[in-house]
Amino acid sequence: MLASFGQGSNSIKSAEQGAGLGLPIAKSLVDLHAGTFTLKSKLRIGTEVVVTFPPERVMSALAPLSEPAPSIQAQQPHTEASASPPRPTKAHALRRLLGIGT
C-alpha cells in the first residue's frame, strides 16, 4: 500500500480508481518532518492512518485577525431615493476585478 502506484485490493471496486500515490506522498511528507506514520487496517472494517509530528514541527495557534469579519446581511436593493450608493465590499471589488457578475 505504501509503494508508489500500488493499491490495496478490495472486492468492491469503486468507479473511480486512484493512481496509488496518496499514501506514499503523505508518508514522505511526514518523514521529512521527522514524524511517525502508522497504518492500522482490518479486513472489511476499514483503515486508520495515524500521523504524529514532534512538537517542534507543530505551529502554535495563530492570533485572531484584527480586521472584523464582514457582516452577512441581505443587501437592500438600490433605489433612486437612496442618499448614497451602497459601499462596495471586498467581494464586490474582487468580482469586478475578475469581471464576474458585472
Side-chain angles (χ1 to χ4, degrees), residues 1-18:
M1 269 200 190
L2 291 176
S4 295
F5 301 103
Q7 295 180 344
S9 63
N10 189 348
S11 60
I12 302 172
K13 294 286 184 183
S14 65
E16 303 210 10
Q17 298 288 322

Side-chain angles (χ1 to χ4, degrees), residues 21-98:
L21 293 173
L23 287 175
I25 289 172
K27 183 175 182 334
S28 295
L29 289 171
V30 171
D31 290 345
L32 286 171
H33 290 278
T36 61
F37 184 95
T38 308
L39 283 175
K40 298 176 185 178
S41 187
K42 291 185 181 177
L43 188 62
R44 294 183 179 78
I45 301 294
T47 301
E48 177 182 22
V49 180
V50 178
V51 174
T52 306
F53 292 102
E56 63 272 9
R57 299 304 298 167
V58 179
M59 249 174 83
S60 59
L62 298 175
L65 295 175
S66 59
E67 183 179 314
S71 62
I72 302 173
Q73 296 176 356
Q75 292 185 350
Q76 299 295 327
H78 182 66
T79 62
E80 295 298 322
S82 297
S84 62
R87 185 171 167 239
T89 64
K90 289 179 184 177
H92 287 114
L94 182 60
R95 283 195 294 269
R96 186 171 183 190
L97 180 66
L98 295 174

